[in-house]
Amino acid sequence: MARGVRVIDTDQISHTLTGKSGAAIPDIVRAFGPHAIDRQGAMDRAAMRELVFADPAARKKLEAVLHPEIAAAVDHELEQLRGDEGYQHAYVLLAVPLLFERMPFRWKLWRTLVIDCAESTQIARAVRRSGLPVEAIVQVVQAQVSRNVRLQLADDVIWNGGDLLALDRTIDTFHRRYTRKIENDRS
């Protein structure tokens, strides 16, 4: 939590659901068989990535397993944050990597904010973070809604192609704007 803002990260929720003994593991086994699970009892991400990029029906099947569980987990976290006296945070950020592709969250959002950078930067960062080969990352990026579409659908855009200080200043600007708007709406 930074700046007093709570973040609910759907990618993190997905990793928990598909991790060792995760809540989605039994449904994944039923849908794909035991070979979809690795030796530690988590979803075999490499095998499933290969399968869903080779077979669109498999992708839809995996999404049918995961998306309702992710949505339920988000709803649960929002309810926990709301508590008896309303939200204790200025606002809540819902981080959804595939917001404009398939996830059913858009109707719950007050604003959509896209953190943008050049595609080459996105790919390089994903390779460093994941350790996957460039080809695998390019395949993932190409399966997503295009950058232009994301930018057109977003209410707000933050450029993340420069230095961290500039990014932090821009985030502060949006945070102040959002906080001011919410405070005005509450009064």
Side-chain angles (χ1 to χ4, degrees):
M1 178 169 43
R3 296 173 175 87
V5 176
R6 178 70 162 82
V7 177
I8 299 173
D9 184 341
T10 60
D11 202 34
Q12 187 175 46
I13 290 169
S14 174
H15 280 267
T16 299
L17 290 169
T18 60
K20 181 180 179 181
S21 304
I25 296 299
D27 291 333
I28 291 169
V29 170
R30 274 191 290 281
F32 297 99
H35 62 277
I37 307 304
D38 66 19
R39 290 182 184 171
Q40 287 74 41
M43 182 179 76
D44 185 334
R45 299 185 81 72
M48 291 304 289
R49 185 180 313 104
E50 188 176 319
L51 176 64
V52 299
F53 282 110
D55 181 359
R59 174 185 275 177
K60 288 185 189 299
K61 190 189 304 187
L62 182 60
E63 289 171 352
V65 168
L66 291 179
H67 288 184
E69 291 198 42
I70 292 169
V74 167
D75 287 343
H76 177 74
E77 284 196 43
L78 288 171
E79 283 302 313
Q80 296 290 93
L81 289 172
R82 187 172 292 124
D84 294 333
E85 300 173 21
Y87 290 112
Q88 303 303 310
H89 307 279
Y91 56 91
V92 176
L93 282 175
L94 181 57
V96 184
L98 299 175
L99 176 65
F100 299 120
E101 282 80 356
R102 293 174 277 301
M103 298 299 273
F105 295 113
R106 183 126 196 228
W107 66 273
K108 295 181 182 194
L109 305 176
W110 167 61
R111 302 210 41 97
T112 57
L113 171 68
V114 167
I115 309 296
D116 186 44
C117 63
E119 189 175 288
S120 59
T121 303
Q122 177 187 9
I123 291 168
R125 288 174 178 169
V127 166
R128 274 196 311 274
R129 187 175 53 248
S130 69
L132 292 171
V134 172
E135 299 77 24
I137 298 299
V138 168
Q139 189 177 33
V140 170
V141 169
Q142 289 175 344
Q144 297 173 351
V145 166
S146 75
R147 178 175 178 234
N148 287 337
V149 170
R150 268 194 315 275
L151 294 175
Q152 289 173 7
L153 293 173
D155 296 311
D156 300 309
V157 177
I158 291 179
W159 175 250
N160 186 16
D163 65 60
L164 290 177
L165 184 58
L167 175 64
D168 197 52
R169 278 192 233 123
T170 305
I171 290 169
D172 275 340
T173 299
F174 277 96
H175 173 65
R176 284 192 304 274
R177 184 181 306 157
Y178 292 167
T179 302
R180 208 170 26 250
K181 170 74 172 128
I182 290 165
E183 288 170 355
N184 290 339
D185 287 351
R186 287 180 181 160
S187 9

